[in-house]
Amino acid sequence: VLVPTMGALHAGHRSLLEAGRKFAGAHGTLVATIFVNPTQFGPGEDFRRYPRTFADDRKMCGAVGADAIFVPAAEAMYSSDHSVFVEESVLSKGLCGRSRPGHFRGVCTVVSKLFLLFNPQVAVFGEKDWQQLAIIHRMVRDLNFPVRIAGCPTVREPDGLAMSSRNRLLVPAARQAAPGICRALLAIRKEVRGGERRVDKLLRMLAGSLESLPGAKLDYARIVDARSLDPIRFVKSAACALVAVRFGKVRLIDNILLRPPRERI
Ligand code: AMP
């Protein structure tokens, strides 16, 4: 069982590792990978600033009973003249793909490499990165990777902020404002539960709440079909609201299922 991460591990990663340990069972092998993958960062993004906390990460992996940690150097993963990439061409275009061109190409490439290196039966990913999870499912289906993808629910701080390695880069005022992202998502889910189905109205509410957070700059707020990631006009089954918000240089993402799909993706 493989749990790919970029390190700076927190309770969200821990839940993936614990799920991985259960999938592997007493006799299976659980491998955590820690690799800040350069190909998924664009120029001017936070590759250099990305937090690196290996001593603590190693402790967490040990505490959850991982059998091994794979921490490759960038040169071990990519030859200096590497020229082959794996690209998903539809789901990757919108949402984070629009703000971060090339990001999902880097993700698909490194995840493919990890799958080929370890040949896992199961690989565990977080629903926090909903678009990523949908893309990995598509990649595995379309390229016939013999692996089962398991999605795990988003783990949050007590105030609702989705756990992220980037949270530690927030200045105190931004850290205080950031739980408003989760509150805004919960508020529109409440509207949906109260019977509101019009996406334009829900999006106005959502964008309004996010734009009013002190210090926040809205990157995007969208409501889409949870599997195809296509825009929708009315909330039916399997609808997901996804947002990205910047606080200074720190970009945070979050999402919520407005109505869950019949089967978990
Ligand atoms: P990252 O280290 O940010 O690349 O994330 C590694 C894996 O952990 C990805 O599958 C993420 O979706 C997942 N993950 C990150 N944050 C959370 C969270 N708060 N709850 C659940 N899973 C998470």
Side-chain angles (χ1 to χ4, degrees):
V1 176
L2 196 70
V3 180
T5 81
M6 297 204 299
L9 301 183
H10 49 65
H13 298 112
R14 177 190 274 267
S15 78
L16 268 54
L17 290 163
E18 286 168 349
R21 186 66 268 166
K22 285 207 185 107
F23 281 120
H27 304 295
T29 304
L30 172 65
V31 177
T33 76
I34 298 181
F35 181 54
V36 185
N37 172 36
T39 64
Q40 70 189 68
F41 288 81
E45 288 189 348
D46 56 355
F47 176 68
R48 276 175 206 288
R49 276 188 307 132
Y50 199 84
R52 289 160 171 88
T53 61
F54 183 64
D56 289 342
D57 293 352
R58 186 211 289 261
K59 279 188 209 143
M60 185 185 289
C61 292
V64 299
D67 296 292
I69 317 176
F70 180 62
V71 196
E75 310 79 66
M77 287 294 275
Y78 294 107
S79 305
S80 58
D81 59 349
H82 73 97
S83 54
V84 177
F85 294 88
V86 178
E87 186 160 5
E88 191 289 323
S89 57
V90 173
L91 307 177
S92 305
K93 293 292 177 216
L95 305 164
C96 287
R98 187 179 297 261
S99 326
R100 304 185 69 188
H103 170 66
F104 289 114
R105 185 176 88 146
V107 170
C108 287
T109 301
V110 79
V111 170
S112 299
K113 288 164 71 73
L114 293 171
F115 286 175
L116 291 166
L117 286 166
F118 287 92
N119 197 20
Q121 287 175 6
V122 180
V124 189
F125 293 85
E127 293 178 353
K128 154 90 176 0
D129 298 272
W130 187 269
Q131 184 179 15
Q132 170 173 284
L133 183 59
I135 291 168
I136 300 287
H137 272 285
R138 180 66 62 91
M139 179 182 87
V140 162
R141 186 197 75 180
D142 286 358
L143 296 185
N144 305 98
F145 277 106
V147 58
R148 168 175 164 202
I149 303 302
C152 285
T154 302
V155 176
R156 297 177 180 280
E157 300 284 355
D159 60 14
L161 178 62
M163 290 203 177
S164 162
S165 307
R166 292 187 168 97
N167 291 351
R168 66 181 82 209
L169 302 175
L170 293 169
V171 299
R175 175 63 189 81
Q176 217 181 334
I181 300 171
C182 175
R183 283 198 300 275
L185 289 168
L186 288 170
I188 63 157
R189 190 178 68 180
K190 195 165 167 218
E191 287 292 309
V192 171
R193 288 183 172 171
E196 182 56 74
R197 294 285 180 271
R198 289 166 297 176
V199 164
D200 54 354
K201 170 131 190 267
L202 294 163
L203 280 180
R204 273 199 300 278
M205 275 185 67
L206 181 59
S209 318
L210 295 171
E211 276 160 354
S212 70
L213 297 177
K217 214 170 155 264
L218 181 59
D219 180 345
Y220 68 75
R222 302 261 187 282
I223 295 175
V224 299
D225 179 277
R227 291 167 195 280
S228 68
L229 307 182
D230 285 336
I232 51 177
R233 289 182 58 210
F234 297 95
V235 172
K236 293 172 283 188
S237 70
C240 188
L242 300 98
V243 302
V245 176
R246 289 180 201 278
F247 288 96
K249 285 187 174 165
V250 185
R251 184 173 173 281
L252 301 180
I253 59 170
D254 201 350
N255 68 78
I256 197 165
L257 279 176
L258 298 175
R259 302 191 69 193
R262 279 189 196 92
E263 287 165 48
R264 248 199 150 78
I265 69 163

